[in-house]
Amino acid sequence: FCNLCLRFPADEAEKCPMKKSINEHADEDGNHWKWFYEDLKVLGLNKSYEFTDILSQMWSEETEIQRMGAYQLIALAMNTQDPKMRYVIAESIEVFGNMFFEGISHVGTEYEKLTGKSCKYLGHTHFEQEQGHLAGQGDQGEIEHSLFEQTDLTEEQTKLAMEITQKVESSLMARWDDMAKVCGRM
């Protein structure tokens, strides 16, 4: 998501420190899927299926809430050109993601105690990497928050930032509630 939807075009980012900072975060965050992929192997969920079966599952009613949540976040990011407001999107995702990964990392720890196998995405590796803030490739190891936090917002921007945060929360909470229901049926 981040490496595709939050990024600004490289030529724009070179001219704007805020856009460059968001791109650095998007690049770093865009590699976490590799941890998820490895966790699927560790959990024994990397099985072979017919391609049409995968598509049927992917586009089924059962995955509708997950897809809609992803589409909502994509639309929100792609329709937000102001780097200050993209920062709000990214920071909101990070804060809510931190809550999720803090909770799920305990499950990962228990799984490791029981099996001796460690999960990165669903375990402490991801939680410790995130810590609820934006990461980047800079000297500090995280995004230059001062670029954004020392910038005044207009009343309109403040209202928009609150709306964005609420949209991110609504999307993520719907997806997490759906995941909990699916896990409860397993």
Side-chain angles (χ1 to χ4, degrees):
F1 171 80
C2 287
N3 59 331
L4 297 176
C5 299
L6 285 180
R7 283 187 63 76
F8 287 96
D11 60 327
E12 289 181 31
E14 285 305 314
K15 298 173 193 166
C16 176
M18 287 182 177
K19 291 179 180 182
K20 183 177 181 182
S21 191
I22 287 183
N23 282 5
E24 288 175 355
H25 165 71
D27 290 343
E28 191 281 328
D29 224 34
N31 288 311
H32 295 185
W33 69 270
K34 295 173 187 175
W35 294 339
F36 184 72
Y37 179 77
E38 290 301 317
D39 284 2
L40 292 176
K41 289 181 185 178
V42 167
L43 296 169
L45 299 173
N46 188 29
K47 299 179 180 166
S48 295
Y49 295 93
E50 293 288 325
F51 185 64
T52 53
D53 292 339
I54 293 169
L55 291 178
S56 292
Q57 176 62 31
M58 193 166 63
W59 301 114
S60 71
E61 279 186 35
E62 192 173 77
T63 63
E64 185 175 333
I65 292 172
Q66 296 300 317
R67 287 183 284 124
M68 286 305 297
Y71 300 153
Q72 289 165 351
L73 291 175
I74 290 167
L76 183 62
M78 299 304 287
N79 291 319
T80 302
Q81 296 305 309
D82 180 344
K84 294 176 207 167
M85 295 302 108
R86 280 224 190 146
Y87 174 81
V88 171
I89 294 169
E91 190 71 4
S92 296
I93 290 170
E94 291 296 319
V95 167
F96 289 108
N98 188 55
M99 292 174 5
F100 174 78
F101 289 111
E102 180 179 17
I104 201 73
S105 69
H106 298 294
V107 176
T109 299
E110 289 302 313
Y111 181 79
E112 186 173 356
K113 285 179 187 175
L114 291 170
T115 66
K117 298 176 183 177
S118 177
C119 292
K120 291 181 179 179
Y121 189 85
L122 300 172
H124 277 283
T125 300
H126 198 184
F127 174 62
E128 290 169 3
Q129 176 77 25
E130 294 297 331
Q131 292 299 308
H133 58 79
L134 300 183
Q137 303 294 331
D139 296 336
Q140 312 300 325
E142 68 180 67
I143 197 167
E144 185 57 54
H145 288 281
S146 63
L147 287 174
F148 299 94
E149 293 172 356
Q150 294 176 2
T151 302
D152 292 328
L153 298 179
T154 65
E155 189 174 318
E156 184 178 310
Q157 286 174 317
T158 301
K159 182 180 175 191
L160 180 57
M162 294 301 292
E163 289 172 9
I164 286 170
T165 301
Q166 290 169 349
K167 287 178 181 179
V168 169
E169 177 187 18
S170 176
S171 175
L172 293 177
M173 293 307 290
R175 293 178 74 193
W176 294 348
D177 288 346
D178 183 59
M179 281 189 254
K181 289 175 190 169
V182 169
C183 289
R185 290 193 303 259
M186 297 176 101

